[in-house]
Amino acid sequence: MGNESDLNRRKFMEIGIYTITSAITAVSGVALARFAVGTSFEKKKSKWIELNSEDVRDADEGFARVVLEYEQKDGWLTATTRSLAYVKRIKEDEVIAISASCSHLGCIVTWDEEQKIFKCPCHDGRYDMEGKVISGPPPGPLRRHKTKIEDGTIMLATETVPYGGDTHERA
Ligand code: FES
């Protein structure tokens, strides 16, 4: 009888110890994983960058090449980021900004004013003036930067959206 009660007590203690150990392991595992991953999966914040309106051409004058330079926080690191966009005014109060980053492997595309196409030098990808693929390996159109005009000031968002996404923000 005494032996049986000792066994039950021992079993109870074992289960208790296993439960507590498992709980501590689970909680510290989650905390360690959070520490290891840091903020790397957090969405990067978009910023609005002001453009000189004289840099932005009218529709019939082709695209202006605009370099966007801004500070960006990536995880624990803050670095200066540069990207390139092709910008053009399509209406008095509407500007489009096409990202120069090729949708294939990210090379910088160039605007060919004579042929009215974007060309990628890396694998000969071609896009029309809307950024839609004409030929080559790119899997999809060029992305767009969001744009807005506030009190006559043209602004571009550092964030890009897929072609066909909502790119205009009204003030
Ligand atoms: S990176 Fe542009 S076609 Fe390959």
Side-chain angles (χ1 to χ4, degrees):
M1 201 65 181
N3 272 353
E4 202 173 299
S5 125
D6 273 355
L7 269 178
N8 282 343
R9 197 177 310 130
R10 191 172 298 151
K11 195 77 188 160
F12 178 76
M13 296 276 281
E14 267 178 32
I15 291 170
I17 287 169
Y18 284 138
T19 306
I20 291 168
T21 310
S22 302
I24 290 171
T25 306
V27 168
S28 52
V30 168
L32 273 175
R34 177 73 183 96
F35 177 75
V37 169
T39 56
S40 54
F41 286 115
E42 283 176 14
K43 194 172 182 275
K44 289 173 189 158
K45 283 201 179 110
S46 184
K47 293 181 178 175
W48 286 102
I49 294 181
E50 234 176 80
L51 300 186
N52 289 328
S53 52
E54 56 269 19
D55 287 346
V56 180
R57 302 176 186 166
D58 289 334
D60 54 349
E61 294 177 285
F63 284 96
R65 225 172 108 98
V66 173
V67 177
L68 306 173
E69 192 173 305
Y70 51 95
E71 295 282 300
Q72 186 150 50
K73 203 168 181 260
D74 189 1
W76 311 110
L77 196 73
T78 300
T80 301
T81 301
R82 274 180 209 89
S83 61
L84 187 70
Y86 290 97
V87 182
K88 143 168 114 172
R89 190 188 288 274
I90 52 172
K91 286 186 206 159
E92 188 51 39
D93 63 346
E94 202 170 326
V95 161
I96 61 166
I98 298 179
S99 167
S101 177
C102 180
S103 67
H104 182 219
L105 296 176
C107 289
I108 298 299
V109 300
T110 55
W111 169 245
D112 184 320
E113 181 59 36
E114 264 181 31
Q115 295 183 55
K116 308 272 185 238
I117 58 172
F118 291 102
K119 293 177 177 173
C120 180
C122 294
H123 311 100
D124 209 23
R126 306 274 161 123
Y127 302 85
D128 69 11
M129 64 193 317
E130 288 284 305
K132 290 188 275 186
V133 180
I134 302 170
S135 64
L142 295 170
R143 292 175 68 88
R144 297 281 179 105
H145 287 269
K146 288 187 164 201
T147 60
K148 67 179 177 181
I149 301 179
E150 270 180 8
D151 301 326
T153 304
I154 301 168
M155 302 181 96
L156 284 198
T158 54
E159 169 193 29
T160 59
V161 295
Y163 175 83
D166 181 18
T167 53
H168 298 289
E169 210 160 279
R170 307 266 172 226

